[in-house]
Amino acid sequence: FSVSTDFQNGVHTSHPQHHLIFPIRPNPIGDNMARSEIDIGHSLSSAFGALVGSSEFMIKSSGASTSGHQLSSCRMPDFGESATVTFSPRPSTCDGNGNPTEYILFALDFDRPTEDFGMLCLELYRHRAYIRRVVCIKDLESNVLDFLNGQPPDSGIDAEFTSSEAIGDEKFGSTLKQQLDSDALAKLQKDGFVVIDNVIKTSQSSHEKLDGKTNRGKRNANARDYRTDKVAFLSRENAEEYGLEDQHDFLLTLASHLNGNLDFSLRGLSPHKAIFPGTIERPLTNPKGCGVQFAEYGENDYYRPHSDNSKINMRGVFDCRRSNGEPTTTDSNETLLPYRQLNWRYITAILYMNEGWEKGDGGQLRLYLDSLCVIHPDAVIGRHEFIDINPSNGKLLLFDSRMIHSVEKVLSEGKIRRALTLWIIRPEENGVTGEDYVLIDDDGGRKEQ
Ligand SMILES: O=C(O)CCC(=O)C(=O)O
Ligand SMILES: [Fe+2]
């Protein structure tokens, strides 16, 4: 991306570290009239304004001069002392009427030019609605994809640090040996999931401490149409505060137990180079910061079918559908972008906390069988068999993170469904992606990718 020409007519003296070019789209009226610079400039300025206004970026100074064709320029202190981005026409590419045919976005003086420019492009891509009418965003898309593809997920902490021995063998050693015995592990390996009842129950007093507290839980505004639960991540101290330290610690010991007892050669995944702290022999680790998720579902809350580790488009797997739940692959304006690695999640471990939860209360975890390879989660509905798992107090569920699952709507008024989830990861160079993903076509048949 580095360029050596100073195309800013002397507005900037230093050279841009990174830049992207946006060719102007043909005028849709088809009258061969060039778009006016005002029209183009207006769209680009809106995108730029939205970009700056919506993100953590701050305008500290009024930026560079707005002479000539220059649209907007602003300081981005988060990216370095004098980091600046500018949107501007490319003077060398003006047409006969003096209207530019290309615009350029460039960055100056970023501390971490590659990452920061990638971040900037991603942010701009989120505001593409403003600009796609007037400029081609193909280069922006591929830039963002390259950036995302190059971002490693967090590589985790060694499962040894959180093994039952490390936490205290007397605490969980025998539970693990008895409950997650060779039969249970064989089932996990063969069917992709295993359910074990009465592992660790949550006490009434923990629920009392949690009542009312979780209103402050984070609910992603963009996520509202696919999940309506509230989530928070629990540190060890948080867990202690709510009397959930055993549950927390137990979840963290699982990776180490599975490492010693699962046969990783049988998974049908080609072995990739293990990334520290994982090793080929002991590939599973816990996420950095440990990351035990606490989730709460009240009446009418749900989580639509999804996979915790799947092929995704760049805006996230859940954007693969419209708000009515339909996949968006056919929408030419919302082109689905190629796969990127989302994470290294390998096994999803959920510990349910709900005493006296009945079938009629709803909120079952619905796990779709034979769904490892499904890309569009909604494709499983009506096509795949499933099992419903009641979120009963003390129940442990382990499943292959690629499997499609949903949380069915909670039906009972006044009941709260709570669970703790840990994603056990397998950091590998090419990610735990499952090379055998296939697209399910409209007839329910399978198409090889
Ligand atoms: O709470 C559950 O049963 C599942 C939640 C879930 O699928 C998730 O948080 O990814
Ligand atoms: Fe999930």
Side-chain angles (χ1 to χ4, degrees):
F1 280 110
S2 290
V3 290
S4 54
T5 46
D6 184 357
F7 43 72
Q8 276 309 299
N9 291 336
V11 171
H12 289 287
T13 49
S14 37
H15 295 172
Q17 289 164 309
H18 285 268
H19 75 282
L20 261 184
I21 292 165
F22 296 83
I24 303 301
R25 285 172 90 105
N27 195 326
I29 303 164
D31 57 4
N32 278 340
M33 290 258 299
R35 287 174 179 283
S36 76
E37 190 184 341
I38 293 175
D39 188 19
I40 298 158
H42 184 72
S43 297
L44 292 179
S45 293
S46 303
F48 196 75
L51 166 78
V52 172
S54 73
S55 65
E56 290 136 34
F57 312 140
M58 284 161 33
I59 305 182
K60 268 251 175 89
S61 75
S62 58
S65 136
T66 51
S67 65
H69 291 291
Q70 186 143 320
L71 271 183
S72 329
S73 181
C74 79
R75 293 277 306 282
M76 300 223 158
D78 286 354
F79 291 156
E81 275 296 287
S82 50
T84 310
V85 294
T86 301
F87 233 150
S88 150
R90 210 175 179 198
S92 60
T93 63
C94 288
D95 65 11
N97 301 318
N99 290 315
T101 57
E102 286 179 348
Y103 272 72
I104 190 154
L105 174 76
F106 67 87
L108 284 178
D109 300 327
F110 278 22
D111 281 348
R112 302 179 313 153
T114 308
E115 290 82 359
D116 292 349
F117 194 67
M119 280 290 297
L120 183 77
C121 292
L122 177 60
E123 201 59 32
L124 184 60
Y125 187 80
R126 296 194 169 117
H127 299 289
R128 66 194 177 287
Y130 291 101
I131 58 173
R132 64 169 4 130
R133 200 172 53 82
V134 297
V135 297
C136 304
I137 57 168
K138 222 168 124 272
D139 287 351
L140 177 65
E141 284 180 347
S142 53
N143 179 277
V144 171
L145 263 188
D146 285 351
F147 165 65
L148 290 174
N149 280 330
Q151 290 295 301
D154 230 347
S155 73
I157 58 164
D158 195 333
E160 281 308 311
F161 288 122
T162 47
S163 67
S164 58
E165 296 97 282
I167 286 178
D169 221 4
E170 68 283 7
K171 201 164 172 185
F172 301 120
S174 69
T175 313
L176 284 164
K177 279 197 199 87
Q178 278 169 32
Q179 310 255 40
L180 263 182
D181 60 9
S182 55
D183 287 350
L185 295 172
K187 172 155 175 56
L188 175 60
Q189 206 139 291
K190 180 168 154 288
D191 301 335
F193 73 96
V194 64
V195 184
I196 302 157
D197 286 319
N198 297 319
V199 176
I200 299 181
K201 291 203 177 204
T202 294
S203 69
Q204 191 52 35
S205 80
S206 289
H207 283 286
E208 280 159 19
K209 287 180 194 144
L210 288 163
D211 282 339
K213 290 276 181 190
T214 48
N215 292 339
R216 283 177 282 129
K218 200 166 145 208
R219 192 193 301 233
N220 184 346
N222 300 327
R224 237 171 249 146
D225 61 339
Y226 66 83
R227 70 186 296 183
T228 65
D229 59 326
K230 290 175 185 159
V231 299
F233 281 84
L234 290 185
S235 66
R236 180 64 164 65
E237 289 83 59
N238 296 151
E240 245 172 84
E241 199 181 318
Y242 297 110
L244 296 171
E245 61 274 17
D246 284 357
Q247 289 81 342
H248 176 273
D249 293 351
F250 176 76
L251 286 168
L252 292 180
T253 63
L254 287 168
S256 163
H257 181 70
L258 296 174
N259 270 335
N261 295 291
L262 267 192
D263 183 352
F264 294 98
S265 64
L266 295 176
R267 292 299 297 260
L269 297 169
S270 64
H272 297 306
K273 191 163 170 274
I275 293 174
F276 183 81
T279 64
I280 295 280
E281 296 74 32
R282 299 181 62 81
L284 301 185
T285 72
N286 284 320
K288 237 186 216 150
C290 299
V292 173
Q293 177 195 267
F294 170 77
E296 196 172 271
Y297 295 71
E299 191 188 3
N300 290 326
D301 282 336
Y302 62 86
Y303 195 157
R304 289 186 64 82
H306 66 279
S307 151
D308 294 343
N309 177 8
S310 58
K311 290 199 168 186
I312 60 166
N313 72 350
M314 57 180 287
R315 289 168 303 142
V317 68
F318 307 111
D319 283 351
C320 292
R321 65 180 74 115
R322 301 194 186 94
S323 50
N324 65 2
E326 280 182 22
T328 60
T329 38
T330 54
D331 184 340
S332 57
N333 276 333
E334 292 295 328
T335 323
L336 267 192
L337 293 159
Y339 161 76
R340 85 173 167 94
Q341 183 182 321
L342 176 61
N343 57 49
W344 283 310
R345 289 174 181 174
Y346 188 72
I347 288 184
T348 302
I350 308 179
L351 199 51
Y352 292 107
M353 303 163 68
N354 313 293
E355 194 63 36
W357 196 270
E358 312 279 346
K359 214 174 165 187
D361 295 328
Q364 288 79 18
L365 184 284
R366 182 161 289 182
L367 189 59
Y368 289 90
L369 306 179
D370 191 28
S371 63
L372 284 184
C373 309
V374 175
I375 292 178
H376 296 298
D378 284 332
V380 295
I381 297 174
R383 294 192 179 132
H384 283 245
E385 284 181 43
F386 57 80
I387 55 156
D388 277 347
I389 293 153
N390 203 51
S392 311
N393 197 7
K395 181 177 286 180
L396 175 70
L397 167 66
L398 301 182
F399 62 91
D400 186 313
S401 296
R402 293 171 296 166
M403 288 176 85
I404 308 290
H405 55 284
S406 62
V407 177
E408 297 301 293
K409 206 175 250 184
V410 171
L411 302 174
S412 294
E413 199 186 329
K415 278 214 169 183
I416 298 177
R417 174 200 194 273
R418 290 175 172 144
L420 297 170
T421 299
L422 178 74
W423 288 280
I424 296 168
I425 62 173
R426 179 174 177 172
E428 293 183 308
E429 203 140 77
N430 290 311
V432 183
T433 58
E435 273 100 21
D436 52 352
Y437 278 107
V438 291
L439 284 166
I440 293 193
D441 63 27
D442 289 341
D443 308 324
R446 287 182 160 203
K447 278 196 288 232
E448 292 304 322
Q449 286 259 69

